[in-house]
């Protein structure tokens, strides 16, 4: 079962969401809630993400997958048709978007149909890639988040800016990247770079992970071509929680052998194992 809608960001832009709920219900079902955050050049409907959220919900969770308000994907839900927003998607705004969603949940602005209710005092969070980076910061920022899982997470976004990107920003105020899947040329403005530098203590995952005492599971592919597995080790090593794990998966790339669009009947074996680890983690610490 899926319920869709949006809540306003701090700029009054829509944060689109899908709320996944179990099909099998009891007369009264108060569900633990898991937030799902997509990564850079990503969106909530990318590839296997919707099927993964549905699979997690079938284990007795409510799963709320969101599109960041500046991710560049509009009402189509799958096309980057708002590149003017994408160009200024800062880590600060992403983190604030998570806060806006948590606030909306607290005010019952996101409300499931009967007989469901949501347990919003102790949420879980999953983030993929840049979304994993933001999930770590959010887990440190918002006390409602009590359990963390990252998939292929970046540890330090300020270590990812290339010399060419920095040169472009200094000279032109904007750099351009290519979306390997769509071929689109996508602008990234200097404000994204400046925001990450100026607010590093609040935004950078490897800094914020040092504040976490909650259960934290870091999952990464050994051969991740986009974000090296060493980044997961760095997050794990800097996390002081007594309840933490690092799971390095067999070679399966940045998205664990999944791609967009995802039209297969079954999950790839490695991604299925990622989901199993994730589900068991949340069952252990949220249910």
């Amino acid at each position: 079962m899926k319920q869709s809608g949006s809540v306003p960001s701090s700029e009054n832009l829509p944060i689109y969401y899908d709320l996944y709920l179990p099909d099998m219900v009891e007369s009264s079902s108060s569900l633990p809630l898991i937030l799902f955050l997509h990564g850079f050049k990503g969106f909530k409907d990318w590839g296997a993400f919707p099927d993964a959220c549905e699979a997690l919900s079938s284990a007795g969770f409510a799963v709320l997958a969101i599109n960041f308000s500046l991710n560049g994907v509009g009402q189509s839900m799958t096309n980057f048709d708002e590149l003017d927003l994408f160009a200024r998607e800062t880590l600060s705004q992403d983190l604030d978007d998570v806060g806006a969603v948590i606030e909306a949940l607290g005010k019952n602005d996101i409300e499931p149909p009967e007989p469901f209710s949501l347990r919003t005092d102790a949420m879980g969070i999953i983030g993929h890639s840049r979304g994993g980076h933001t999930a770590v910061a959010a887990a440190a920022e918002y006390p409602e988040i009590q359990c963390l899982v990252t998939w292929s997470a970046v540890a330090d976004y300020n270590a990812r800016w290339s010399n060419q990107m920095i040169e472009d920003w200094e000279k032109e105020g904007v750099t351009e990247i290519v979306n390997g899947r769509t071929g689109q040329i996508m602008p990234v403005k200097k404000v994204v770079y400046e925001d990450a530098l100026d607010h590093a203590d609040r935004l950078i995952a490897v800094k914020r992970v040092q504040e976490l005492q909650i259960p934290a599971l870091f999952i990464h592919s050994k051969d991740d071509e986009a974000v090296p597995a060493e980044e997961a080790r760095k997050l794990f090593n800097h996390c002081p929680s007594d309840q933490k794990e690092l799971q390095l998966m067999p070679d399966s790339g940045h998205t664990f052998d999944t791609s967009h669009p995802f039209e297969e009947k079954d999950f790839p074996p490695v991604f299925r194992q990622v989901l199993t680890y994730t589900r068991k983690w949340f069952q252990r610490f949220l249910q």
Side-chain angles (χ1 to χ4, degrees):
M1 183 186 305
K2 184 175 78 171
Q3 174 180 302
S4 300
S6 68
V7 296
S9 74
S10 59
E11 297 183 344
N12 206 33
L13 291 170
I15 304 169
Y16 295 108
Y17 69 80
D18 291 321
L19 178 64
Y20 294 85
L21 302 163
D23 290 328
M24 302 297 292
V25 299
E26 300 176 358
S27 58
S28 178
S29 297
S30 181
L31 300 173
L33 181 68
I34 300 168
L35 302 178
F36 185 92
L37 310 183
H38 66 77
F40 185 59
K41 295 183 292 182
F43 42 93
K44 63 180 175 56
D45 294 288
W46 185 93
F49 289 167
D51 294 319
C53 291
E54 184 177 353
L56 288 171
S57 73
S58 68
F61 298 99
V63 183
L64 187 69
I66 71 169
N67 272 355
F68 290 116
S69 61
L70 299 180
N71 78 331
V73 175
Q75 293 183 11
S76 71
M77 299 300 163
T78 56
N79 298 321
F80 286 97
D81 47 17
E82 296 180 340
L83 291 181
D84 56 325
L85 299 183
F86 175 88
R88 59 182 186 86
E89 184 187 2
T90 61
L91 292 172
S92 283
Q93 189 60 54
D94 286 355
L95 185 55
D96 289 346
D97 283 356
V98 177
V101 169
I102 291 174
E103 182 179 358
L105 287 162
K107 296 190 298 184
N108 294 321
D109 291 340
I110 302 174
E111 194 168 15
E114 294 183 356
F116 294 110
S117 62
L118 304 178
R119 287 167 40 199
T120 58
D121 57 330
M123 306 178 194
I125 193 167
I126 307 170
H128 174 253
S129 194
R130 170 169 159 161
H133 188 279
T134 296
V136 171
E141 185 91 353
Y142 304 112
E144 294 89 348
I145 298 174
Q146 292 293 306
C147 192
L148 167 72
V149 176
T150 67
W151 296 351
S152 311
V154 176
D156 182 354
Y157 234 88
N158 280 333
R160 295 184 66 79
W161 315 123
S162 69
N163 290 335
Q164 184 62 59
M165 295 172 79
I166 295 171
E167 183 178 341
D168 289 345
W169 282 321
E170 295 299 339
K171 289 184 177 180
E172 308 292 338
V174 64
T175 191
E176 293 180 335
I177 61 171
V178 179
N179 186 323
R181 181 177 62 83
T182 67
Q184 285 176 286
I185 305 299
M186 307 178 76
V188 179
K189 292 184 177 179
K190 188 179 181 181
V191 64
V192 176
Y193 171 60
E194 292 176 330
D195 174 71
L197 290 180
D198 292 346
H199 306 289
D201 286 345
R202 179 181 183 231
L203 301 174
I204 299 304
V206 75
K207 293 178 178 287
R208 297 306 303 266
V209 79
Q210 298 176 52
E211 303 172 38
L212 296 186
Q213 299 294 338
I214 64 173
L217 170 62
F218 308 96
I219 306 177
H220 220 102
S221 170
K222 294 177 181 177
D223 73 333
D224 190 330
E225 73 289 351
V227 180
E230 181 56 35
E231 307 226 1
R233 293 190 185 94
K234 186 178 295 185
L235 290 171
F236 174 81
N237 289 335
H238 281 79
C239 179
S241 174
D242 292 332
Q243 296 168 317
K244 64 178 181 177
E245 286 186 14
L246 173 65
Q247 291 289 350
L248 296 180
M249 308 305 295
D251 293 351
S252 49
H254 190 54
T255 56
F256 307 108
D257 288 336
T258 65
S259 59
H260 183 84
F262 181 75
E263 299 173 340
E264 288 77 6
K265 181 179 178 181
D266 299 313
F267 293 128
V270 175
F271 189 70
R272 186 167 61 247
Q273 186 61 56
V274 168
L275 272 179
T276 298
Y277 284 135
T278 301
R279 172 181 54 78
K280 289 183 176 180
W281 194 257
F282 287 128
Q283 285 176 326
R284 180 180 174 188
F285 293 110
L286 283 186
Q287 279 184 336

